[in-house]
Amino acid sequence: GESVGLHLPTLSVQEGDNSIINCAYSNSASDYFIWYKQESGKGPQFIIDIRSNMDKRQGQRVTVLLNKTVKHLSLQIAATQPGDSAVYFCAEKNSGGYQKVTFGTGTKLQVIP
Amino acid sequence: DTAVSQTPKYLVTQMGNDKSIKCEQNLGHDTMYWYKQDSKKFLKIMFSYNNKELIINETVPNRFSPKSPDKAHLNLHINSLELGDSAVYFCATSGRAKNIQYFGAGTRLSVL
């Protein structure tokens, strides 16, 4: 079956350093891979996505890398700030049917001031 | 003006009771969802409606019944509540880009 999982449940990073959050997936039929951020007491919020035919996409302070050979996805956050502290979810959208989005298990990012 | 609003934010109830959670969106999106997030933060889809039509119905006990009276509303009714139903329930919406979903703030349900 399909699954999306994360290598590290908790990541502690010094403020100002770069953060890298990793994710493994198993469904090769997904057409989009997505990162969501969930702050305490709030719902998940879309950060960035990448199409399956791309290997890199950059946003503001964030970069997503997709390695289809090893089915690996990562989110890089540059110059991590206290406001980046949250749980980050990778997710994938299947290309057929009702285009369901499946979420991974989440990684908690703690930024140390 | 909140794009996706859920009520109530907190719900504490006894086992065996019946309760409802409401969701309203003002984004004009066609698709709405209900997700369940457990204590380990695992987020799992329960239902999805597109233009008031049920299109995704995951393996959810039939004690859970979603209802969409119109495109802007998706409610979740739960009968005979059990301890294992305790979780945070999120409503979400999406437009044509199904990968970009907008979530409400969640309803924390505690069944005692």
Side-chain angles (χ1 to χ4, degrees):
Chain A
E2 57 189 48
S3 69
V4 181
L6 296 176
H7 296 307
L8 297 172
T10 304
L11 177 65
S12 296
V13 175
Q14 203 74 35
E15 181 179 356
D17 287 351
N18 296 335
S19 304
I20 300 176
I21 303 172
N22 296 302
C23 178
Y25 68 91
S26 61
N27 185 3
S28 300
S30 297
D31 61 352
Y32 275 93
F33 297 89
I34 315 129
W35 284 99
Y36 280 83
K37 172 186 180 183
Q38 185 178 18
E39 296 177 78
S40 181
K42 296 182 179 180
Q45 181 181 17
F46 173 87
I47 304 173
I48 190 169
D49 63 1
I50 186 169
R51 288 191 67 160
S52 59
N53 62 355
M54 299 170 64
D55 51 26
K56 181 178 180 179
R57 188 174 186 207
Q58 287 185 291
Q60 188 178 10
R61 282 202 307 118
V62 294
T63 301
V64 57
L65 299 177
L66 176 63
N67 185 331
K68 291 181 286 295
T69 303
V70 295
K71 295 183 179 177
H72 184 266
L73 184 71
S74 69
L75 177 72
Q76 300 179 2
I77 305 173
T80 312
Q81 302 169 359
D84 295 326
S85 293
V87 176
Y88 289 81
F89 294 93
C90 64
E92 56 182 330
K93 183 181 77 67
N94 65 308
S95 56
Y98 297 114
Q99 301 185 58
K100 185 176 72 172
V101 172
T102 302
F103 284 79
T105 52
T107 292
K108 183 176 182 179
L109 176 65
Q110 294 179 322
V111 180
I112 304 165
Chain B
D1 206 18
T2 306
V4 183
S5 58
Q6 295 179 227
T7 54
K9 190 167 176 63
Y10 300 96
L11 188 51
V12 182
T13 189
Q14 299 286 332
M15 262 196 319
N17 284 351
D18 303 337
K19 291 293 178 186
S20 291
I21 307 171
K22 296 186 176 183
C23 179
E24 177 180 4
Q25 57 110 349
N26 63 7
L27 297 170
H29 287 165
D30 287 341
T31 308
M32 296 185 73
Y33 312 83
W34 278 111
Y35 286 87
K36 179 181 181 180
Q37 186 171 52
D38 63 22
S39 58
K40 296 179 182 176
K41 296 291 188 183
F42 187 67
L43 195 62
K44 184 169 169 52
I45 190 168
M46 300 172 70
F47 302 103
S48 174
Y49 270 75
N50 189 65
N51 276 323
K52 301 193 298 174
E53 180 187 351
L54 181 65
I55 58 170
I56 295 176
N57 184 349
E58 294 292 287
T59 308
V60 177
N62 57 15
R63 297 182 294 105
F64 290 79
S65 53
K67 279 190 172 54
S68 181
D70 55 59
K71 263 178 51 172
H73 296 84
L74 180 62
N75 303 324
L76 183 65
H77 187 76
I78 315 170
N79 288 327
S80 303
L81 278 155
E82 300 177 357
L83 293 176
D85 297 333
S86 296
V88 181
Y89 292 83
F90 286 100
C91 175
T93 76
S94 66
R96 294 184 66 182
K98 299 291 181 263
N99 48 308
I100 303 175
Q101 298 186 8
Y102 297 82
F103 284 77
T107 295
R108 183 173 292 276
L109 172 64
S110 298
V111 182
L112 307 179

